[in-house]
Amino acid sequence: MTDLNALEAELTQAIAAANDVAALEAVRVAALGKQGSISGLLKSMGAMSPDERREKGPLINGLRDRISAALNAKKAGLEAVELEARLLAGRVDLSLPAPPRRKGAVHPTMQVMDELIAVFAEMGFAVAEGPDIEDDWHNFTALNFPPKHPAREMHDTFFFKPGADGERRLLRTHTSPVQVRTMQSQEPPIRIVAPGRVFRCDSDQTHTPMFHQIEGLVIDKGIHMGHLKWTLETFVARFFETDAVTTRFRPHHFPFTEPSAEMDVRCDRSGGEVKIGQGDDWLEILGCGMVHPNVLRQCGIDPDVWQGFAFGLGVDRMGMLKYGMPDLRDMFASDVRWLEHYGFSATQAPNPASGLS
Ligand code: DAH
């Protein structure tokens, strides 16, 4: 029979000598593993006579319990030491220089949106908003587009499948439905601009399926084309930050305004770049007109009492003009190099006091 005291002394010493978790595990296997010395003793109890078992059993079990406890205690100690060593090795040296990091920038569209809002806010316009998903009535019917009129298709509209109510919803093709929503929810006088996303099924150098417009609407008594002209000319001078801008109004057609016009600004196209406020060329920048009496009536406003003017322009296009970006599609390609080049500081919001850009 093995000398239990000698075995205990030997194992206790091996446990004390183990200086990492792996060495300790080897000791555990040698003692308590399937072929281990203590496991062998436990197994041998089966062959003992009852008297012998009564005598040796408690000794062997006692040895197993003490060795198990010693192994567990040592393991906990070793793990704590190893954790400490790992934490020390992984310590961050705060004196190291930070790795180079890409700096965020404000997208030119958002910058121009803020500039436009700042200019119109100074003239007393509030900001209004409407949903991207519209119904046919707000996007077309209330704006005096005749039913089944090709103009509905002309806008290259993205239509949804008809819903349970049979209604065909759509992605708004312009910000003009916000005119309707504002006139329905506010009493005149009204003076708002409505910036937002619009959608048309179209893509080339100057068209993307999603782009941004800003809509303007003024409803008051005695409003005429002179108010419209002054507002838009003042806006262009402030936005391009020069008094040298010359504008020209050309007759046009929009279903929701009568009369309607397009406004051009004088520009110079020589040298492959558009320069505003010089040269002999003209560039169309917005659509406008006097709000059609039918639109006022659809919104519950009496056209014999109230009149108004409206205008709409492409925000991204204004950005391309002001900041010289040649391709509209780049604006939505999410290329960080482009954004680093054309982006704006996030800490310098445009305002009339400190300047726009
Ligand atoms: N909604 C027109 C478009 O997207 C732009 C427009 C023209 C808006 C004339 C107006 C307006 O408010 O009076 O083509």
Side-chain angles (χ1 to χ4, degrees):
M1 172 79 202
T2 321
D3 179 342
L4 294 184
N5 290 334
L7 178 60
E8 183 162 2
E10 185 192 315
L11 287 172
T12 306
Q13 204 209 337
I15 291 169
N19 50 15
D20 59 34
V21 174
L24 186 68
E25 177 64 8
V27 178
R28 190 194 64 80
V29 170
L32 297 170
K34 261 202 182 119
Q35 314 291 330
S37 47
I38 294 180
S39 306
L41 289 171
L42 288 165
K43 259 182 247 151
S44 72
M45 277 162 58
M48 289 177 186
S49 69
D51 280 349
E52 197 183 2
R53 196 179 305 135
R54 210 170 296 123
E55 183 202 338
K56 298 267 173 64
L59 297 177
I60 295 171
N61 281 324
L63 170 64
R64 191 231 7 234
D65 292 348
R66 284 191 300 280
I67 292 300
S68 284
L71 281 165
N72 287 341
K74 177 78 184 198
K75 188 165 181 228
L78 284 176
E79 280 174 348
V81 169
E82 281 183 11
L83 177 63
E84 185 65 25
R86 237 182 305 134
L87 288 177
L88 275 176
R91 200 159 53 169
V92 178
D93 182 352
L94 293 178
S95 68
L96 284 174
R101 199 148 62 94
R102 288 197 185 274
K103 220 169 85 209
V106 174
H107 192 283
T109 293
M110 292 302 129
Q111 166 78 17
V112 171
M113 206 96 117
D114 286 348
E115 291 181 18
L116 293 166
I117 291 170
V119 170
F120 283 111
E122 199 191 14
M123 290 198 260
F125 284 74
V127 173
E129 284 187 311
D132 289 0
I133 297 175
E134 266 297 4
D135 52 41
D136 202 85
W137 190 82
H138 287 91
N139 198 80
F140 294 122
T141 309
L143 289 164
N144 201 35
F145 284 75
K148 300 264 173 355
H149 193 274
R152 291 168 191 250
E153 311 303 326
M154 214 168 67
H155 269 199
D156 299 313
T157 314
F158 287 110
F159 286 103
F160 289 88
K161 290 205 183 87
D165 53 2
E167 255 266 21
R168 193 170 60 154
R169 312 263 262 160
L170 49 89
L171 293 176
R172 67 176 175 192
T173 58
H174 51 179
T175 42
S176 304
V178 187
Q179 286 188 34
V180 177
R181 292 186 176 274
T182 307
M183 284 190 272
Q184 285 184 313
S185 62
Q186 288 177 29
E187 293 289 319
I190 291 169
R191 210 184 295 173
I192 56 112
V193 284
R197 270 186 295 267
V198 300
F199 306 84
R200 292 183 200 179
C201 188
D202 205 353
S203 181
D204 62 33
Q205 194 179 353
T206 53
H207 297 90
T208 48
M210 186 281 305
F211 58 105
H212 300 81
Q213 285 188 337
I214 190 164
E215 190 80 12
L217 175 71
V218 171
I219 304 287
D220 209 328
K221 289 178 177 160
I223 295 287
H224 53 72
M225 280 296 265
H227 297 120
L228 161 69
K229 229 176 146 223
W230 179 86
T231 304
L232 294 177
E233 282 172 352
T234 306
F235 147 67
V236 168
R238 298 264 163 89
F239 178 75
F240 287 108
E241 296 171 270
T242 162
D243 283 333
V245 190
T246 319
T247 57
R248 169 175 93 169
F249 288 77
R250 272 179 299 101
H252 199 74
H253 171 75
F254 298 106
F256 35 91
T257 43
E258 181 58 38
S260 305
E262 279 188 333
M263 187 176 93
D264 301 342
V265 288
R266 188 188 284 280
C267 70
D268 178 10
R269 282 197 171 89
S270 63
E273 206 186 304
V274 182
K275 287 181 219 84
I276 302 292
Q278 45 185 290
D280 299 317
D281 257 339
W282 293 96
L283 181 78
E284 179 249 308
I285 63 163
L286 58 82
C288 58
M290 303 305 294
V291 179
H292 198 293
N294 286 351
V295 177
L296 294 171
R297 268 186 224 110
Q298 289 274 20
C299 301
I301 292 178
D302 182 353
D304 292 331
V305 180
W306 302 99
Q307 298 76 42
F309 67 81
F311 54 90
L313 65 144
V315 175
D316 321 285
R317 242 171 81 81
M318 292 301 272
M320 289 169 74
L321 275 177
K322 186 167 174 181
Y323 297 113
M325 292 166 286
D327 193 321
L328 184 63
R329 289 167 299 192
D330 291 341
M331 297 191 90
F332 311 117
S334 300
D335 185 332
V336 278
R337 293 164 304 177
W338 185 89
L339 193 58
E340 268 170 5
H341 183 77
Y342 287 110
F344 290 82
S345 162
T347 52
Q348 283 172 335
N351 71 72
S354 63
L356 293 182
S357 49

